[in-house]
Amino acid sequence: MDLFSGGVAGYYIGFALMESIGIKIVEFYNAQEVWARVVATYRGEAAMWFLGGAAFTPIPYKIATIAAGATQMPSVPFIIISSLGKASRFFLVGGLIYFFGPKVKLYIDKYFDKLSIAFLTLLIGGFILIKYLLR
């Protein structure tokens, strides 16, 4: 339930408490510039993809959930996308440990951020390839 409750709490902060609490969190992380870009992304066509990427990769997920609430992203897609992104990350790590043994955990701990960004880049690149080159 922790996986789920943190994202929902962030969404609620953005949705209902942005002026009183949310902006203080953004300032605490000194993330005003990032915040502006995240809000712009959420107001564009890539909002759902960005949330999924933030849930899966080391992109600051807390900022992403607060922005989802602050920009009034519908709650049902938010919950589904967040759940899929976070669960995918945990299942991937669990699967790698299951198939390759505990030694792979050291490698994952050391390189997970880079590996997850590479995976996300390849995934997005694949979608772009399919959309534009394989019509």
Side-chain angles (χ1 to χ4, degrees), residues 28 30 55 57 76 97 101 104 115 122:
F28 174 79
N30 197 25
T57 65
V76 172
I97 292 171
V104 79
L115 291 170
L122 290 171

Side-chain angles (χ1 to χ4, degrees), residues 3 6-7 51 54-55 58-66 78 82-83 86:
L3 161 76
L51 178 63
I59 295 170
Y61 181 65
K62 298 244 185 296
I63 297 292
T65 61
I66 293 169
F78 169 81
S82 290
S83 298
K86 285 295 189 180

Side-chain angles (χ1 to χ4, degrees), residues 17-38:
L17 306 172
M18 190 60 206
E19 297 300 318
S20 60
I21 295 175
I23 201 68
K24 291 178 184 172
I25 293 171
V26 172
E27 290 169 355
F28 174 79
Y29 285 108
N30 197 25
Q32 293 85 344
E33 287 182 34
V34 173
W35 175 252
R37 286 184 290 191
V38 169

Side-chain angles (χ1 to χ4, degrees), residues 13-14 24 33 36 41 45 56 71 83 87 89 101-102 116 125 128 133:
I13 289 169
K24 291 178 184 172
E33 287 182 34
T41 301
E45 294 178 13
F56 184 78
T71 58
S83 298
R89 181 177 180 156
S116 60
I128 291 170
L133 298 177

